[in-house]
Amino acid sequence: MTKSPVLILGARSDIGLAVAHAYAAQGHPVHLAARNAGSLETRKTDLELRHSVPVTLHEFDALELEDHERFADALPELPGIAVSAIGFMGEQGESENSPAAAVQVLRSNFEGPASILAVLASRFEQRGSGTLVGISSVAGDRGRATNYVYGSAKAGFTAFLSGLRNRLARKGVHVVTVLPGFVATQMTEGMDLPEKLTAQPEEVARAITDATAKQKSVVYVRPVWRLIMLIIRNIPEGVFKKMSI
Amino acid sequence: MRGLSGWGNYPVSQAQLLAPRSEAELKRLITESPSVIARGNGRAYGDSAVGVPTTLHMRHFNKMISFDATTGLLVAEGGVLLGDVISAFLPRGWFPAVVPGTKFVTLGGAIAADVHGKNHHKDGSFRSCLDWVEVMGPDGTVRRCSARENSELFNWTAGGMGLTGVILRAAIRLRRVPSAWIRQQTTPAANLDAAIEIFERSADATYSVAWIDCLAGGDKLGRSLVMLGEHAGLQDLSYAQAAQPFAIPRASRRTVPPVFPSFALNRFSVRAFNAAYYWAGARKAGRQITGYDSFFFPLDALLGWNRIYGRKGFAQFQCVLPLDSARAGLRALLKAISAAGQGSFLAVLKRLGPQDSPFSFPMEGYTLALDFPVNRRSLQLMQDLDRITIAHGGRFYLAKDSRMSRDTLRAADPRAAEYAGMRQMSGLHPSFQSAQSQRLSL
């Protein structure tokens, strides 16, 4: 049986690439979508050599909203699974001082991913099948002083995915929200992350392939994060505002 | 800066681990740092891949570049794991021509250590399946080298412990195999002489290795289980196996708890383990069909097995003794080990074939590998083993070493001085240094 193709949005990211490898290893053809897609040529060859699956490259910019319909039309076929690994952390200090920088973070983590998933959602809905995977963040579970601009965009995206799942549940389309916690990627390189709480991109990828296979809805890549965020969400505001976490 | 060590968790050095993602970035790090060393997957036992202060984590260079399905030539970046090569190409009937005892080693690491496998007596070391290597030198220039082109660089790079530059890409030849199964023949050998006799008789076997009970003494000194292996053909397989010759049921992987209690490891438990292993093996002696994974990489199934030795870590001792003095040398080594009561869970004896490359470990003879938990007594014992090895004309495997002295290496291996001289002359010395190369003045 030929497996359905998987579209990776934000395919240049470490998590996006790891997800591409994980699906390709299961025999899925892969469409890699990213800015400057031509530079992913060596990644395409690597994926094809390792997994003997067809891989295609697609130019895609999450922030060019008016282009999203055209992007979806231009895909060789409507994928069975689409994974958004789009994200941009920015720098909190910069986001606080420059509205333009903050908007960039908000658009990259919320507006862009939500827009393209909305476009794909209506096509999946029409077809009556498919899985949409959004990689959000535990940072969206509660705003913290150290990264609330990024966190609030992810909060918006998490709510968007939740609503989308609710809307499409009866239409045969499944929506997965992935909350990775700390991941050792280019985005977090140089940050001092606690080793025991930090996942590798391959771990996130495995969580995603598992979640799509088992039709899970909200996945914390490392289960301990569910507990950590439960606690953090429930700290009374009066206490929380005096804390620095 | 952080504490960084090799697979043996000993010694730990303060190092800065940088992970370049492009050749341009790599070039900048090499040219701007006082000295660097590349690190693959950290499977070298000691400090060969620990750069003080700068260590280059090379795992982002992990792309496969091309594969020729007529010749089996694979071109890939240095950070690709041998395990990745196997998972990609074994289902298509190809297997690396030479594999060490772990598949979690990068191509770059396998080249730098010029690893050998259970087929060294027939096929030589990793170098023998290398068509070419691309190395980034001190000024950031990438040079391709092979037996014909830049052959001096090629010769020193294979087995050069990363001290000739950073291995970026390589072309390795894979071999065609009929299945993912191995036809294994296990023969108990009552003592060292019997084991050697089996090896000498089995020169035709593609793969051979012995697990040796290093705590047995007296007339049982050197008792072993000798294992021979061939790639199984379809006729060797059961109907179900032959229907899908490259599909092997996934073995369960176990992970060792972060810190294994050290009281579990003492001379009594090791002696009991060794004896039990020998008798279990002797009972099951004979022919069997086994998966490639359990034949080549038995320890890989136990992820994090290095933690068995606890926080202080462990050290490996691996030497090779030339053929004519091997018997006497091995006997002396085993006697010293057995007398010290410092046994090892994993002691491996292997017949190596001839090899004449400038700085690679193997030579025609017998190699003995053991590991010991790091403590004062075992460090003392290993110094005794060093002396016995040198007295018998043997030399040491740098990929396993974590504690040798400069003088020991110089006494065992005249090539070390030559290598160090070449590094000085060609200006490689200041740019590429590991904690090990500093310790050994390479």
Side-chain angles (χ1 to χ4, degrees):
Chain A
M1 197 184 84
T2 49
K3 300 224 174 170
S4 60
V6 177
L7 170 66
I8 312 285
L9 300 151
R12 191 185 311 285
S13 67
D14 288 328
I15 293 179
L17 278 169
V19 174
H21 276 284
Y23 279 112
Q26 296 182 353
H28 291 273
V30 174
H31 306 316
L32 299 178
R35 272 179 305 178
N36 201 359
S39 65
L40 287 172
E41 199 61 52
T42 55
R43 293 292 179 184
K44 166 182 151 77
T45 312
D46 178 46
L47 278 159
E48 289 174 335
L49 275 174
R50 283 178 194 243
H51 310 296
S52 307
V53 294
V55 178
T56 55
L57 302 180
H58 307 275
E59 191 61 34
F60 171 72
D61 187 336
L63 299 185
E64 301 284 334
L65 305 184
E66 59 283 1
D67 211 40
H68 288 184
E69 290 281 356
R70 192 156 14 115
F71 164 80
D73 289 335
L75 289 172
E77 69 227 290
L78 191 61
I81 301 169
V83 181
S84 164
I86 302 160
F88 169 61
M89 189 171 284
E91 212 269 302
Q92 172 67 19
E94 216 181 315
S95 294
E96 283 169 23
N97 297 318
S98 149
V103 165
Q104 178 84 357
V105 172
L106 295 172
R107 293 193 63 210
S108 304
N109 293 294
F110 182 26
E111 193 183 82
S115 161
I116 184 62
L117 289 189
V119 167
L120 292 166
S122 57
R123 288 160 203 244
F124 281 21
E125 183 180 15
Q126 212 162 32
R127 184 178 61 188
S129 71
T131 303
L132 294 164
V133 181
I135 301 178
S136 190
S137 170
V138 298
D141 284 5
R142 188 166 193 178
R144 295 180 300 122
T146 48
N147 71 349
Y148 64 85
V149 176
Y150 173 77
S152 64
K154 288 295 195 185
F157 189 46
T158 300
F160 177 85
L161 292 167
S162 161
L164 200 60
R165 174 163 47 246
N166 195 221
R167 172 188 136 201
L168 298 173
R170 280 146 298 171
K171 304 289 174 60
V173 180
H174 183 56
V175 177
V176 185
T177 307
V178 182
L179 303 165
F182 299 136
V183 187
T185 63
Q186 192 159 18
M187 189 159 94
T188 59
E189 209 157 273
M191 290 169 64
D192 189 21
L193 303 179
E195 213 166 306
K196 287 207 164 57
L197 291 176
T198 306
Q200 294 301 314
E202 293 72 27
E203 212 174 318
V204 181
R206 206 158 46 230
I208 290 175
T209 52
D210 272 8
T212 47
K214 294 183 190 153
Q215 301 250 308
K216 290 186 187 170
S217 298
V218 179
V219 182
Y220 285 82
V221 171
R222 293 220 166 166
V224 62
W225 280 104
R226 191 183 287 276
L227 180 68
I228 295 172
M229 295 321 294
L230 178 76
I231 294 167
I232 291 179
R233 269 198 312 270
N234 286 291
I235 298 170
E237 198 62 33
V239 178
F240 192 75
K241 69 184 182 188
K242 290 182 200 135
M243 292 171 70
S244 52
I245 55 170
Chain B
M1 298 291 258
R2 48 174 282 182
L4 193 62
S5 61
W7 182 239
N9 295 325
Y10 171 87
V12 180
S13 311
Q14 286 303 309
Q16 179 188 28
L17 192 62
L18 302 173
R21 286 171 176 269
S22 66
E23 280 184 50
E25 203 182 338
L26 179 65
K27 175 176 179 172
R28 190 178 57 76
L29 294 176
I30 290 178
T31 51
E32 289 176 5
S33 313
S35 77
V36 299
I37 195 76
R39 179 181 177 92
N41 204 28
R43 244 48 181 198
Y45 285 73
D47 43 4
S48 0
V50 175
V52 183
T54 307
T55 310
L56 302 176
H57 172 89
M58 292 298 293
R59 286 302 308 287
H60 292 312
F61 293 81
N62 65 347
K63 297 191 285 293
M64 297 189 187
I65 298 163
S66 68
F67 180 68
D68 183 336
T70 54
T71 61
L73 190 74
L74 170 71
V75 179
E77 292 181 328
V80 168
L81 296 180
L82 273 187
D84 294 342
V85 174
I86 295 169
S87 24
F89 294 102
L90 185 56
R92 291 174 242 175
W94 298 92
F95 196 75
V98 172
V99 294
T102 174
K103 62 181 171 182
F104 298 127
V105 59
T106 59
L107 278 184
I111 294 166
D114 195 11
V115 297
H116 57 274
K118 297 175 172 55
N119 55 343
H120 185 274
H121 61 287
K122 274 198 121 161
D123 302 315
S125 62
F126 200 75
R127 180 182 190 276
S128 65
C129 69
L130 269 182
D131 258 33
W132 52 260
V133 182
E134 283 181 359
V135 183
M136 187 179 277
D139 58 352
T141 314
V142 178
R143 285 201 290 163
R144 182 177 290 199
C145 58
S146 67
R148 292 163 301 280
E149 184 186 0
N150 290 318
S151 58
E152 202 190 357
L153 178 62
F154 179 75
N155 283 329
W156 288 116
T157 297
M161 303 308 291
L163 299 168
T164 61
V166 175
I167 295 165
L168 269 183
R169 276 175 289 273
I172 63 166
R173 254 169 295 121
L174 310 184
R175 68 165 67 195
R176 272 228 171 265
V177 292
S179 76
W181 299 90
I182 298 292
R183 204 172 75 224
Q184 180 180 334
Q185 166 81 42
T186 304
T187 313
N191 54 39
L192 183 64
D193 285 334
I196 287 181
E197 199 199 311
I198 298 173
F199 273 117
E200 295 303 322
R201 221 186 321 125
S202 316
D204 286 349
T206 306
Y207 301 106
S208 64
V209 67
W211 172 85
I212 184 164
D213 177 354
C214 53
L215 283 177
D219 52 5
K220 297 194 196 99
L221 185 80
R223 72 172 170 190
S224 337
L225 297 171
V226 185
M227 287 164 264
L228 309 179
E230 301 293 334
H231 290 284
L234 295 186
Q235 73 283 0
D236 301 317
L237 301 178
S238 72
Y239 182 77
Q241 290 165 341
Q244 284 185 298
F246 297 105
I248 287 191
R250 220 186 173 70
S252 70
R253 276 193 178 168
R254 289 155 202 272
T255 301
V256 174
V259 177
F260 196 78
S262 56
F263 62 80
L265 195 81
N266 55 52
R267 65 167 72 193
F268 306 105
S269 66
V270 173
R271 189 183 294 275
F273 173 84
N274 274 261
Y277 191 92
Y278 176 79
W279 288 113
R283 239 199 346 268
K284 281 194 303 192
R287 288 176 69 152
Q288 64 181 122
I289 295 290
T290 175
Y292 75 93
D293 237 349
S294 60
F295 182 77
F296 291 110
F297 316 116
L299 283 173
D300 284 350
L302 203 64
L303 293 177
W305 66 264
N306 54 341
R307 292 195 294 248
I308 286 174
Y309 291 94
R311 289 190 199 283
K312 281 189 189 156
F314 70 105
Q316 269 252 345
F317 174 85
Q318 183 167 0
C319 67
V320 57
L321 298 163
L323 211 46
D324 52 5
S325 59
R327 201 178 292 254
L330 287 170
R331 196 179 302 278
L333 290 169
L334 289 169
K335 269 192 182 143
I337 296 160
S338 172
Q342 289 280 315
S344 159
F345 277 119
L346 177 84
V348 173
L349 179 66
K350 162 93 191 87
R351 170 74 152 88
L352 298 182
Q355 170 146 2
D356 57 344
S357 37
F359 200 51
S360 300
F361 163 69
M363 67 160 102
E364 176 147 43
Y366 280 85
T367 176
L368 179 68
L370 321 116
D371 45 43
F372 300 99
V374 171
N375 57 46
R376 202 170 38 82
R377 288 206 331 272
S378 67
L379 289 172
Q380 180 57 51
L381 170 63
M382 283 186 271
Q383 287 190 18
D384 296 340
L385 302 181
D386 290 349
R387 275 192 288 276
I388 297 171
T389 303
I390 293 171
H392 290 84
R395 66 188 182 216
F396 306 99
Y397 193 12
L398 295 187
K400 304 279 181 85
D401 157 65
S402 56
R403 38 111 236 149
M404 229 191 318
S405 73
R406 171 192 190 278
D407 293 343
T408 304
L409 176 67
R410 290 289 191 284
D413 197 344
R415 304 172 311 166
E418 206 183 316
Y419 187 39
M422 185 282 295
R423 296 214 325 121
Q424 290 289 355
M425 293 273 293
S426 50
L428 291 165
H429 172 73
S431 298
F432 302 104
Q433 291 186 43
S434 60
Q436 182 183 48
S437 79
Q438 290 171 3
R439 175 164 51 81
L440 299 175
S441 313
L442 282 174

